[in-house]
Each structure stands twice: as C-alpha cells, then as structure tokens.
Amino acid sequence: MDPQKLREYIETRCSFDRNRGKLIERASQRWSRVVPVHLYGQTADMDPILDLAERYNLVVIEDACQAHGAEYFSKKDGNWKKAGSMGAAAAFSFYPEKNLGACGEGGSHYNE
C-alpha cells in the first residue's frame, strides 16, 4: 500500500461524518477502513499508514497471510514489530501453498 495514494484517496474521495465519527467514502456512503497487505514476506510501510489512520479515525486491519514472521522497523517507535501486530486486527493464512512452498502438502497436487 502506497501511503501517499492512501492520503490522496482519503482527501479526494472521503468525507468525515461527524454524527458517526467516521470517515465515509462519498460514492458508496460506507465507512472507510484500511487493509494494508504484507506480501512475499515484506511488510507495508506501516508508520505513515498508522499515522493517517490515527489522524482520520480509521481502523487498520492487517493482511499478513503471506508474511509470517516478517518484521517492520518502525522509525517512529525505534523498534522492530511483527507483521500482524500493528493494526487493530490481522489475518493470517496457514494454507501450505500460500506460504510454505514445498513443506506440508508439497507435491501432493501432482497428477500423472
């Protein structure tokens, strides 16, 4: 997720609903949330994403399905953080073909 594009999206396509206390996408009238995807063992740039989420009262749900054990160095906090530990919630996947390569079910899908 590109934090700059996230900021542009928020500023051009959303409005703050004071009654609900949430950021609303104008087109759908649904409240906005942020789902950064940590992919191929690499984390999204979480410091600016979390700053935007705090500024606009957004919920961050991390997709860490392909980043088991990945770490992010937070310059803001000065320490390493595990993928899936920075948002309000996170999703992980234990399907072998997604993360583990040849471990687990490796080779079981081969048809002669």
Side-chain angles (χ1 to χ4, degrees):
M1 175 177 285
D2 181 337
Q4 178 64 25
K5 289 186 180 183
L6 173 61
R7 186 188 60 75
E8 289 171 12
Y9 167 80
I10 291 169
E11 292 177 356
T12 62
R13 299 182 56 191
C14 299
S15 299
F16 189 76
D17 183 330
R18 294 188 194 286
N19 294 329
R20 291 192 261 181
K22 298 198 179 289
L23 196 67
I24 306 296
E25 182 185 46
R26 287 189 213 107
S28 69
Q29 290 299 301
R30 294 182 181 171
W31 63 280
S32 298
R33 54 249 185 243
V34 179
V35 183
V37 178
H38 307 306
L39 195 57
Y40 308 121
Q42 302 294 315
T43 59
D45 190 5
M46 293 301 290
D47 282 344
I49 291 169
L50 292 169
D51 287 344
L52 285 167
E54 183 177 344
R55 179 177 175 190
Y56 291 101
N57 194 30
L58 295 169
V59 174
V60 175
I61 302 169
E62 296 175 74
D63 178 340
C65 291
Q66 291 191 16
H68 291 268
E71 293 183 315
Y72 172 77
F73 184 76
S74 171
K75 292 178 184 172
K76 180 179 178 182
D77 296 336
N79 61 11
W80 291 92
K81 298 181 178 191
K82 294 280 188 189
S85 70
M86 297 169 270
F92 287 91
S93 173
F94 295 102
Y95 188 70
E97 285 184 352
K98 191 169 262 190
N99 300 310
L100 304 175
C103 296
E105 291 183 293
S108 67
H109 297 293
Y110 177 77
N111 295 319
E112 290 186 32

